[in-house]
Amino acid sequence: MSKLWLVDSADLTAYFDADTRRYAKDWFEKNGLTLEIFKARFHQSPSLGFVCDGQQFGGIIIDNGELHLAILPEFQGRWSILIPEILDWIFFHHDPIFCRAEHDNDLCLQFAKRMGWKLVDKDEHYYFFAGKAEWIPANLQRRRRKHQHEKLKVRSSNSLNEDCKGQAVHT
């Protein structure tokens, strides 16, 4: 069984690789987007990396209130267990959040709808969504509350261990 977790910042090389796989090989070159330009543009943006068995396979970047998500194709559909933590992170950084999805990006469109985000506009290329923490569907709210409770227990346990300086505490 694979072990999935999140890290504080996305590996921009892995993110760029995941992002470029959605487009024709020469699209980025034709539009003047290189890995170096991408890294320079997003190196200070808040980001979250997705990891499976030690390998980053994508992540999230927030740029001026807009969410950007990229996942390597072989990992799509396998990261949904991380959604409560991802939502906590997103709405800690920006609430409301905005995103856009190409008309043919079914996975991104499904994600936005599953999160309860609202379609606010569209043009010939994109659908534009807005998301707020309060719009998250009830089933995901329950998972977030459970996750937040578990995080609180871990934090309490960790602070107790730190305060005890490694000595066993009997309750």
Side-chain angles (χ1 to χ4, degrees):
M1 181 170 166
S2 299
K3 188 172 183 181
L4 296 168
W5 69 92
L6 302 171
V7 292
D8 286 334
S9 62
D11 175 334
L12 294 180
T13 300
Y15 186 103
F16 186 79
D17 182 35
D19 210 20
T20 57
R21 292 193 193 187
R22 261 215 27 84
Y23 302 92
K25 290 200 181 280
D26 62 346
W27 187 91
F28 278 77
E29 292 171 15
K30 283 181 183 177
N31 288 286
L33 292 171
T34 64
L35 176 59
E36 291 73 28
I37 291 170
F38 180 82
K39 284 181 172 183
R41 171 76 171 88
F42 292 110
H43 79 280
Q44 291 187 327
S45 296
S47 68
L48 188 65
F50 303 170
V51 179
C52 179
D53 295 333
Q55 174 193 357
Q56 275 212 33
F57 62 88
I60 291 177
I61 297 172
I62 295 179
D63 180 47
N64 295 319
E66 185 175 349
L67 180 76
H68 302 277
L69 171 68
I71 297 173
L72 289 169
E74 57 268 30
F75 290 95
Q76 290 176 353
R78 295 178 52 197
W79 58 279
S80 64
I81 192 143
L82 300 171
I83 287 177
E85 290 177 84
I86 291 167
L87 292 172
D88 288 345
W89 183 87
I90 289 170
F91 292 116
F92 172 80
H93 285 283
H94 219 281
D95 190 2
I97 191 74
F98 300 93
C99 72
R100 58 184 147 162
E102 293 93 347
H103 290 194
D104 67 342
N105 190 341
D106 291 332
L107 291 173
C108 189
L109 294 169
Q110 290 171 10
F111 176 77
K113 288 176 185 174
R114 185 173 175 209
M115 297 305 107
W117 298 353
K118 312 288 187 219
L119 179 66
V120 294
D121 201 4
K122 65 181 178 176
D123 65 19
E124 70 256 22
H125 302 289
Y126 295 100
Y127 291 107
F128 299 90
F129 292 92
K132 295 183 96 177
E134 64 190 52
W135 295 346
I136 297 170
N139 64 322
L140 292 174
Q141 288 285 6
R142 283 191 300 276
R143 284 178 61 195
R144 282 184 71 220
R145 282 193 300 273
K146 180 180 177 193
H147 166 74
Q148 288 168 341
H149 179 70
E150 288 169 359
K151 271 180 31 179
L152 188 58
K153 284 185 352 187
V154 169
R155 280 191 193 136
S156 297
S157 173
N158 287 344
S159 63
L160 177 63
N161 289 341
E162 290 171 9
D163 291 343
C164 294
K165 297 180 178 32
Q167 297 177 358
V169 176
H170 301 283
T171 55

